Amino acid sequence: MATDLKRENYSATIDGKPVDLFTLRNGRGMVVRITNYGAKIEQILVPDRDGVVGDVVQGYDGIEGAMGGQASMGSFIGRYCGRIPDGRFTLDGVAHQAAVNSPPNTLHGGQRGSRFRVFDARQLDESSLELTHVFADGEEGFPGTLPLRLVYTLGDDNALTIAWTAVAADRTTIANFTDHTFFNLSGDLGSSILDHVATIQAGRYLALGDTGVPTGEMVEVAGTPHDFRTPAALGARIDADDRMLALGKGYDLHYVVDKPVNGPTPVLNARFLHPASGRTLEVLSTEPGLQLYTGNALEGKTPRDVGKGGTLYTKHSAFCAEPSKFPNSINLPSLWPSFPSTVLRPGQWTAGSIVYRFGVA
C-alpha cells in the first residue's frame, strides 16, 4: 500500500523561500508528487498489469527527510551534473575552482547545487508544474549567472516529461543537467531491483579513472558486463570481475547512447521491466549519454535511509537512469569534438528534456 504523502509535511520556509508539495494528475489515475526543494520527485503512482496502483520511486515522508536523506534522491541536478576532477576547469584560458564536495571531486554542482535549493514554483494546471531557479555568478565557484526554467508535465500516455531551458545571462559558463529519480518498479520500495530487466540502447560506455571521473576513453560494451543491448537483469552480472563495477560497487557508469546527437526530439535511451508486476519504464531524452546507477550508496542507515512509511532503503533497492551530456566533458573537448558542448557563451541558450514513460507488459 503506497504511503499517502501529506502536503503539510512539506510546508516550510528555507532560505527565506516557501517550500511545498505539488501534485500532478492525468486522466488515467497516474499521480506524481514533487517538492520545490531540490525540484525533487517524491512519489509516482502507477498501476501494475493487474491494475494495482503502486509507488515506484523512493522519497521521504516530509521535508525533514528530504533535507537529511540522500541528497540526490529525486532531484533535478545542476548547474553541472556528474564529477569534475579536483573541481577544476578552464574557460577561455581562465582557470576556475569549483567547490569540492565529494573529495577529490566536485559532484552534481557542489555543496549548494540545485539539490539543496528552493525553486520558485507555479502550478500551471492539474498536470503541469513550472519551477525556476537562478544560479548566481560565482556560486560554488562557477562563473556566470544562469537562469533555469523547468516544466514537469504529466501526459495521459502515463509519461512524465521534464523539460528545461537555461541561458548564460552575462558570462561564459558551463551547464549540464539531469534528473536523479530513484526507481523501484515493484512498488515495494525496500526490495532489491536486481531482478529488474534492463535494455540500454548503447554500444559504448565512458571508462572511469580511479576517482570515478571519465577519462575520455570510450569502451565497447561487447563482451563486458555492461552490455544491455539485449535485455538482461540488473543483477545478472553485477558481481562480475570488472574494474568499473568494482569502482562503483555496482553499476555507476555513463553510456554513449546510440542515436542522433542532441536531436530536438527525445528518443529512447533505455527500457526497464519488473517481471513480477509487469510494470515497465521507458526513458527517452534529447541527451547524448545515460548514467546507470544501481543504488550502490544506499546503506540502510538511520535516519538518512528511512524513507516513506518507515521503509528502509538498502543497497540496490533502487536504480537511476540519468540522461545528460557527458560528465567532465568540459575538460575533454578535444576528445569529444562531435558531441554537444557544455559551454554556454553570453546570451546562449541550452534546452533539453527527459521523458519517463510507464506501461505494463
Side-chain angles (χ1 to χ4, degrees):
M1 187 73 177
T3 299
D4 183 21
L5 289 189
K6 299 184 183 302
R7 183 178 180 184
E8 56 265 30
N9 290 345
Y10 277 88
S11 179
T13 300
I14 300 172
D15 296 332
K17 302 178 88 171
V19 175
D20 205 342
L21 185 70
F22 300 86
T23 298
L24 307 184
R25 303 179 189 273
N26 68 6
R28 297 175 61 188
M30 182 174 165
V31 176
V32 178
R33 292 191 169 97
I34 303 161
T35 176
N36 58 319
Y37 174 74
K40 296 176 188 282
I41 296 172
E42 293 292 342
Q43 188 168 60
I44 296 180
L45 302 176
V46 292
D48 66 8
R49 66 162 64 94
D50 297 320
V52 177
V53 172
D55 190 350
V56 296
V57 301
Q58 291 183 340
Y60 297 95
D61 286 327
I63 190 61
E64 293 83 4
M67 293 180 69
Q70 295 279 344
S72 294
M73 186 170 282
S75 297
F76 188 81
I77 306 294
R79 115 177 27 193
Y80 202 88
C81 64
R83 294 174 175 87
I84 300 174
D86 301 314
R88 296 174 184 167
F89 60 96
T90 300
L91 286 173
D92 298 333
V94 177
H96 297 275
Q97 177 66 63
V100 172
N101 62 318
S102 181
N105 306 315
T106 299
L107 176 66
H108 293 334
Q111 296 169 337
R112 292 278 287 162
S114 61
R115 299 180 292 170
F116 309 103
R117 299 293 186 174
V118 179
F119 286 64
D120 293 324
R122 181 169 65 108
Q123 185 137 6
L124 303 177
D125 53 42
E126 188 179 50
S127 60
S128 58
L129 174 69
E130 177 191 70
L131 299 172
T132 58
H133 176 69
V134 178
F135 297 96
D137 181 23
E139 182 176 291
E140 298 299 295
F142 292 97
T145 307
L146 184 71
L148 166 70
R149 178 179 184 260
L150 294 174
V151 177
Y152 291 70
T153 304
L154 181 56
D156 282 337
D157 57 350
N158 279 4
L160 175 66
T161 299
I162 305 168
W164 64 86
T165 55
V167 62
D170 44 26
R171 298 175 62 192
T172 298
T173 189
I174 58 175
N176 194 9
F177 302 112
T178 193
D179 176 77
H180 214 310
T181 298
F182 282 55
F183 294 100
N184 186 321
L185 299 179
S186 74
D188 178 358
L189 298 178
S191 66
S192 171
I193 48 82
L194 297 184
D195 60 345
H196 286 49
V197 176
T199 310
I200 300 176
Q201 311 286 348
R204 295 175 293 170
Y205 68 85
L206 304 183
L208 301 176
D210 290 340
T211 65
V213 180
T215 63
E217 179 188 7
M218 293 184 182
V219 181
E220 298 290 330
V221 300
T224 77
H226 311 293
D227 191 349
F228 287 97
R229 290 173 297 176
T230 57
L234 289 172
R237 301 177 298 242
I238 201 168
D239 294 321
D241 183 9
D242 177 84
R243 181 172 174 272
M244 297 297 101
L245 289 171
L247 272 174
K249 300 178 181 178
Y251 289 101
D252 193 4
L253 205 60
H254 204 83
Y255 287 85
V256 180
V257 176
D258 298 331
K259 64 179 182 180
V261 175
N262 205 31
T265 302
V267 299
L268 186 66
N269 289 194
R271 183 179 186 270
F272 300 88
L273 162 69
H274 179 245
S277 69
R279 290 190 185 95
T280 62
L281 168 64
E282 292 180 327
V283 182
L284 302 89
S285 87
T286 55
E287 304 307 284
L290 176 78
Q291 188 88 9
L292 173 66
Y293 174 63
T294 48
N296 313 319
L298 296 171
E299 297 176 311
K301 286 186 176 180
T302 303
R304 186 190 69 176
D305 295 324
V306 177
K308 289 175 285 189
T311 301
L312 200 60
Y313 299 151
T314 56
K315 186 176 182 179
H316 303 326
S317 61
F319 71 90
C320 303
E322 310 159 52
S324 74
K325 297 178 176 62
F326 298 147
N328 195 35
S329 58
I330 181 58
N331 286 312
L332 300 165
S334 62
L335 294 177
W336 300 330
S338 63
F339 288 90
S341 173
T342 56
V343 177
L344 293 178
R345 305 290 177 187
Q348 185 177 0
W349 289 79
T350 185
S353 60
I354 296 168
V355 180
Y356 295 130
R357 186 166 60 204
F358 295 89
V360 292

